[in-house]
């Protein structure tokens, strides 16, 4: 079973759905009861997931808390869950952000509260399932299941253009993932051909030797699917639409967790399964990531709409994560995982903040604000913390992640790292400029003079995030220590298998060349 | 002195069909002698009892393998599975009809249920026929009943149009089929499926004879018409739109299941030798069928027409399993037919909930805002739509998973790629139903008349079936695999 002797991962995974079922039984008119129940369930869920951190053994790279039950026997599909240093913190981020999402929707969502909360809880289960699954089909099921509640969140409770945004989001992500499904199937049958075993267990599939020519296509299928989710330039076009139209909580979940599914997918599936092809793709995807960093930052700079600005900043920040992953060294990958968490926290906070302003003024245009800091001092403080974290000022979490990524990237590809660093400067420009225009300019609009400062519920919503910004900024070791074993094992394993492929492939190539040379030397013609 | 031997009556071999036929006759009698008038729903419940009995008898004889009635009927796992699908289809159709009666003034319960049951008898015999003649008789029993059912709203011009189109084209298709059978008989000298295969094994030079090729081509046309395969799909949208909604679902699922069963029987049992030559053409037809179905469905505004084109697309997906040609592909076809039966009948059941005296609401816009107004109905429709689009954890995903993986395994990677591309195209129009139901406000308030408990039970069954086959597919999947394994060859 596992070190607890108790199926804790299943409990963590299905508890939200249990909550959703309870919510379905509550009368839809008693809205406060619904909200309270949803908060209770998500908070309890967070506490249920805490033992994962407490009992996590950081000395081993092995999967922990493993559960393995046959699911579809005839296909060798198992209900196989496990957690390691790579997924641990993302799981925690998910359970941490969901109660915050419920809290921030307390007054924002007025119609169909019941369905809204049910969607959020089902979404939480789907996200956790995708993070915990070690069986490719199980992963794929949750990966696609995530789309339905998110689609509903955007489509029902979103803005004016919500239908367009929701459908675009759904079709974009689904279009990428179906090719991943085919790649998974191909891998499955190829594995059976080589080893005689039918399995979708990734831990076993890691050791499969995939011929280089095939590997290229399989890797492309996985890469494109995850790159849409991340999203990497030029596949990011669904993101601004989805973010701007989604309700606040939808944006927080989307930025905080859903985008991390893409980067997590790279790290857990695409890269370790296809080391050789990953290496081949580095120039292409590295370039795209760098373009994403700079492009996202430049486009964010000129956005008149705050939410769009934060959305484009996500494109930029996720570019960093990708650069860190492709650096393929300890600092790069750990920095990337750290940056995934940071982005969830700081961008989540920024979306909450924009949402709070929108609730008060029903506009998100930067030009409609100015001097808000005078009337909302508490709000201004939180906004500042989130902004600085997003800009990566030393002492905040963003700094740790960004510096690790840049150090790692510099070791692997200096040119990319230098361009990426310029993105950091652009990041400071657009974030601080927005802060200045919203919070400091003269308070000339009478509408803004009447703004009320944050109430207790909103402070409770933002406070955990603000605290985490500094905790993660000052004590990164707390978090990084749990990742070390898994990441270093990942790298060793990756490099060993890459070397093996290189020897195999280029050794073949070498022998072929040698054969041609000797044949030519002998004056014979070469017949293939 | 000629001795005339009466063949032993092997009731076990045809028990489910016998129960269905007996129920049909009972319904007719009760209808004639009942004083309750033509509109009672008690007849419907009588049919439900009959169908459930047939289902139980099917499950009881499941696994028995025998050839009965001098080789006219084959009883094996495959035929049992098809009979089971037909029973599910009939049951859900009847449950939906019990509610649909209130908008369906011309409904003459006795005749309607009787025809429905006779069509079901024909369908299940198509799964167990082991002789071309028997197959043809079963097909005609099914088809003629359905021609009448399609035109059951004789005050409605669309319904008449539907019946007429279906009848004319169907008669043509039957003619093609019969001519194909004749040519196969001419080549091999036998009508028995197993003997045809034996003859071709003994005379491999006949496999490429023009007569047999012509026969196979004509048979393909005949069955292609029934399953709505490109280029024989033209009738589908008009017929599906015009027929009473309770019948449309029955046609879309039952006929497809029966015709695919016959297709698998004829091609894999009798014409296994022709398989290699035929795969290329079937590959192309599968590709065209799903693509045309999906692309045209994109522009439909009437939900029944949209589902008609979607059913063409689903025929294309099913043909993928046919092309794969393996046991796994055939099991995939069976699994998909079952999941499609639940999904599609559920969807038509939801459409049939909305109606007014003498009319229906079938425009997509009529559904605006109903998702929140009637949460359970919206939830059910959402489940069915996502299932058809192949999103996990619904049955449609597992069905596609089995079909496409069997194609991958057989080496038809491109067909699987086109298949998933088609799934993505289809997302757009399936999602549109969800969009209309949940994301749009109701324009004019259409209210749903109070549904009868029967239809609620039916829709809940369908939704549970879809979820069950999506989350725990093993049970049905293993059953489908055993069915294919135990097919009499």
């Amino acid at each position: 079973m596992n070190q607890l002797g108790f199926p804790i991962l299943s409990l963590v995974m299905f508890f939200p759905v249990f909550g959703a079922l309870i919510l379905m039984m509550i009368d839809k008119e008693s809205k406060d009861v619904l909200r309270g129940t949803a908060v209770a369930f998500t908070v309890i869920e967070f506490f249920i997931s805490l033992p994962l951190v407490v009992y996590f053994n950081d000395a081993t790279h092995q999967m922990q808390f493993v559960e393995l039950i046959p699911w579809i026997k005839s296909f060798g599909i198992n209900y196989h869950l496990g957690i390691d240093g790579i997924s641990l913190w993302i799981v925690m981020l998910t359970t941490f952000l969901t109660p915050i999402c419920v809290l921030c929707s307390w007054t924002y969502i007025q119609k169909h509260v019941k369905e809204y909360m049910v969607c959020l809880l089902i979404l939480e289960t789907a996200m956790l399932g995708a993070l915990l699954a070690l069986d490719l089909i199980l992963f794929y099921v949750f990966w696609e299941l995530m789309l339905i509640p998110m689609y509903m969140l955007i489509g029902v409770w979103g803005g004016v253009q919500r239908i367009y945004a929701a459908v675009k989001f759904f079709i974009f992500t689904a279009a990428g993932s179906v090719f991943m499904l085919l790649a998974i199937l191909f891998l499955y049958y190829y594995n059976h051909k080589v080893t005689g075993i039918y399995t979708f267990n990734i831990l076993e599939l890691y050791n499969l030797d995939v011929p280089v020519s095939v590997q290229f296509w399989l890797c492309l299928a996985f890469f494109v699917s995850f790159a849409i989710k991340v999203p990497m330039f030029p596949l990011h076009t669904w993101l601004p639409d989805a973010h701007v139209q989604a309700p606040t909580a939808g944006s927080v979940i989307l930025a905080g967790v859903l985008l991390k599914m893409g980067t997590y997918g790279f790290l857990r599936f695409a890269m370790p399964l296809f080391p050789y092809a990953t290496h081949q793709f580095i120039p292409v995807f590295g370039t795209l990531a760098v373009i994403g960093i700079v492009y996202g930052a430049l486009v964010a700079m000129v956005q008149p709409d705050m939410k769009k600005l934060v959305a484009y900043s996500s494109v930029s920040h996720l570019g960093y994560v990708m650069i860190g992953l492709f650096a393929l060294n300890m600092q790069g990958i750990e920095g990337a995982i750290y940056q995934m968490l940071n982005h969830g926290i700081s961008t989540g906070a920024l979306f909450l903040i924009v949402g709070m302003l929108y609730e008060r003024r029903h506009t998100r245009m930067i030009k409609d604000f100015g001097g808000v800091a005078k009337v909302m001092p508490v709000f201004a403080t939180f906004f500042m913390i989130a902004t600085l974290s997003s800009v990566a000022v030393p002492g905040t979490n963003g700094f740790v992640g960004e510096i690790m990524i840049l150090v790692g990237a510099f070791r692997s590809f200096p040119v990319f790292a230098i361009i990426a660093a310029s993105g950091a400067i652009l990041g400071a420009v657009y974030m601080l400029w927005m802060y200045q225009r919203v919070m400091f300019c003269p308070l000339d609009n009478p509408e803004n003079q009447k703004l009320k400062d944050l109430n207790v519920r909103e402070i409770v919503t933002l406070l955990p995030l603000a605290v985490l910004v500094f905790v993660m900024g000052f004590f990164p070791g707390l978090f990084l220590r749990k990742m070390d074993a898994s990441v270093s094992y990942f790298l060793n394993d990756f490099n060993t298998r890459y070397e093996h492929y290189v020897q195999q492939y280029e050794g073949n190539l070498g022998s072929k060349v040698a054969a041609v040379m000797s044949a030519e030397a002998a004056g014979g013609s070469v017949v293939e | 002195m000629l001795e005339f031997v009466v063949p032993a009556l092997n009731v076990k071999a045809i028990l489910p069909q016998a129960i269905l036929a007996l129920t049909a006759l009972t319904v007719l009698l009760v209808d004639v002698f009942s004083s309750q008038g033509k509109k009672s729903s008690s007849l419907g419940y009588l049919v439900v009892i009959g169908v459930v009995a047939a289902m139980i008898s099917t499950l009881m004889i499941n696994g028995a393998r025998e050839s009965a009635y001098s080789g006219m009927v084959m009883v094996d796992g495959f035929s049992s599975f098809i009979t089971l699908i037909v029973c599910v289809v009939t049951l859900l159709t009847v449950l939906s009809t019990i509610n649909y009666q209130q908008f369906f003034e011309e409904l003459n319960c006795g005749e309607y249920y009787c025809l429905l049951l006779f069509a079901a008898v024909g369908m299940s015999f198509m799964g167990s026929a082991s002789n071309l003649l028997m197959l043809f008789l079963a097909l005609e029993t099914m088809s003629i009943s359905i021609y009448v059912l399609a035109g059951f709203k004789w005050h409605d011009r669309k319904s008449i149009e539907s019946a007429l189109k279906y009848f004319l084209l169907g008669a043509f298709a039957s003619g093609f089929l019969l001519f194909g059978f004749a040519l196969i008989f001419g080549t091999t000298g036998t009508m028995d499926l197993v003997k045809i295969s034996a003859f071709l094994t003994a005379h491999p030079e006949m496999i490429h004879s023009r007569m047999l090729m012509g026969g196979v081509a004509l048979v393909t046309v005949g069955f292609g018409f029934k399953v709505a395969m490109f280029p024989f799909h033209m009738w589908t949208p008009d017929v599906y739109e015009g027929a009473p909604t309770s019948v449309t679902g029955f046609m879309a699922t039952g006929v497809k299941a029966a015709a695919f069963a016959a297709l698998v029987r004829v091609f894999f049992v009798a014409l296994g030798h022709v398989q290699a030559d035929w795969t290329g053409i079937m590959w192309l037809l599968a590709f065209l069928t799903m693509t045309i179905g999906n692309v045209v469905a994109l522009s439909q505004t009437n939900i029944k027409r949209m589902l008609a084109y979607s059913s063409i697309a689903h025929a294309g997906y099913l043909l993928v399993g046919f092309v794969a040609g393996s046991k796994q592909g055939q099991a995939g076809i069976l699994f998909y037919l079952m999941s499609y039966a639940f999904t599609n009948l559920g969807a038509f059941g939801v459409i049939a909930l909305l109606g007014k005296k003498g009319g229906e609401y079938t425009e997509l816009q009529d559904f605006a805002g109903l998702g929140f107004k009637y949460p359970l109905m919206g939830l059910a429709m959402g489940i069915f739509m996502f299932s058809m689009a192949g999103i996990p954890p619904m049955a449609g995903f597992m069905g596609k998973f089995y079909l496409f993986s069997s194609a991958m395994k057989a080496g038809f990677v491109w067909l699987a790629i086109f298949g998933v591309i088609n799934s993505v195209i289809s997302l757009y129009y399936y999602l549109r139903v969800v969009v209309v139901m949940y994301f749009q406000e109701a324009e004019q308030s259409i209210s749903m008349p109070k549904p009868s408990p029967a239809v609620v039970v039916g829709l809940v069954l369908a939704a549970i079936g879809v979820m069950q086959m999506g989350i725990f597919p093993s049970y049905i999947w293993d059953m489908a695999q055993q069915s294919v394994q135990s097919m009499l060859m």
Side-chain angles (χ1 to χ4, degrees), chain A residues 24 28 71-75 77 111-112 115 137 140-142 144-145 147-148 151-152 154-157 162-163 166-167 170-171 174-175 178-179 181-183 185-186 189 192 198 200, chain B residues 328 372-373 375 386 390-394 397-398 401-402 404-406 408-409 413 416-417 420-421 423-424 427-428 431-432 434-435 438-441 470-474 477-478 481:
Chain A
M24 282 180 193
K28 66 177 185 218
W71 177 31
I72 305 175
K73 273 205 179 109
S74 51
F75 262 78
I77 301 174
K111 58 169 195 177
H112 310 311
E115 289 86 354
I137 294 297
Y140 185 84
V141 165
F142 285 115
E144 291 267 300
L145 179 63
L147 297 179
I148 299 177
Y151 168 75
M152 298 307 272
I154 298 173
V156 178
W157 295 275
R162 62 185 188 276
I163 294 176
V167 172
F170 200 114
I171 289 183
V178 292
F179 292 106
L181 179 65
L182 288 184
L185 282 172
F186 193 95
Y189 285 120
H192 175 251
Y198 279 128
F200 283 104
Chain B
Q328 194 191 335
F372 284 114
K373 199 170 170 185
F386 281 122
I391 301 290
M394 324 300 180
F397 166 73
M398 279 298 162
F401 173 79
Y402 292 139
F404 295 156
S405 65
S406 68
M408 287 287 267
K409 193 179 179 181
V413 176
I417 290 177
V420 296
I421 290 175
S423 300
V424 174
L427 264 179
Y428 182 78
L431 285 181
R432 216 168 48 177
V434 180
V435 165
Y438 281 101
F439 302 175
Q440 292 183 0
E441 297 299 324
I471 299 174
F472 303 109
S474 275
W477 173 247
D478 292 341
Q481 267 187 315

Side-chain angles (χ1 to χ4, degrees), chain B residues 84-317:
Chain B
L84 206 60
I85 294 178
V86 171
C87 288
V88 166
V89 167
T90 317
L91 181 67
L92 292 175
T93 307
V94 174
L95 289 174
S96 166
T97 306
I98 290 173
N99 180 61
Y100 190 67
Q101 283 178 18
Q102 46 186 321
F103 331 116
F104 192 176
E105 285 151 5
E106 308 88 340
L107 181 68
N108 216 330
C109 283
E111 291 161 28
Y112 176 91
Y113 287 128
C114 179
L115 286 167
L116 206 61
L117 287 163
F118 280 137
V121 171
M123 284 171 186
S124 64
F125 267 129
M126 277 177 80
S128 57
S130 65
N131 184 299
L132 294 179
L133 263 184
M134 180 70 205
L135 187 58
F136 185 74
L137 286 175
L139 181 111
E140 285 300 286
T141 310
M142 169 186 89
S143 300
I144 290 172
S145 311
I146 291 182
Y147 299 149
V148 182
L149 282 172
F152 227 84
K153 289 191 157 186
W154 62 83
H155 297 303
D156 181 359
R157 281 165 54 189
K158 276 197 167 168
S159 183
I160 299 291
E161 178 200 20
S162 152
L164 190 65
K165 274 191 175 161
Y166 198 25
F167 171 66
L168 287 176
L169 290 167
F172 254 105
S174 298
F176 275 111
L177 191 71
L178 198 54
F179 196 44
F181 286 168
L183 289 177
I184 293 173
F185 176 71
T187 316
T188 59
T190 173
M191 285 272 188
D192 189 278
L193 296 181
V194 181
K195 285 180 187 155
I196 290 173
S197 174
F199 176 88
L200 291 176
T201 313
H203 304 84
E205 73 280 0
M206 296 304 284
I207 292 172
H208 292 286
S209 71
R210 282 186 197 159
M211 203 144 125
L212 185 70
M213 280 289 136
V216 172
L218 288 172
V219 168
T220 310
V221 172
F223 285 134
F225 174 86
K226 290 289 170 206
V227 301
M229 178 172 82
F230 175 87
F232 317 109
H233 65 282
M234 301 295 183
W235 56 276
T236 320
D238 291 343
V239 172
Y240 281 21
E241 188 191 2
T245 307
S246 58
V247 176
T248 309
F250 185 70
M251 280 198 284
T253 51
V255 176
K256 218 185 269 306
F260 259 102
L263 205 59
V264 169
R265 273 259 197 243
V266 171
F267 272 86
F268 291 102
V269 176
L271 302 168
H273 303 279
V274 185
Q275 186 60 19
D277 306 326
W278 217 238
T279 301
I281 293 174
M282 279 302 190
W283 191 107
L284 191 66
L285 289 176
F287 166 65
L288 287 171
T289 305
M290 58 193 176
T291 310
I292 293 204
N294 277 323
V295 170
V296 183
L298 291 177
S299 61
Q300 299 303 319
T301 55
N302 178 303
I303 197 161
K304 273 167 92 176
R305 279 186 94 79
M306 191 193 89
L307 286 177
Y309 280 109
S310 110
S311 101
I312 296 170
H314 285 288
Y317 299 135

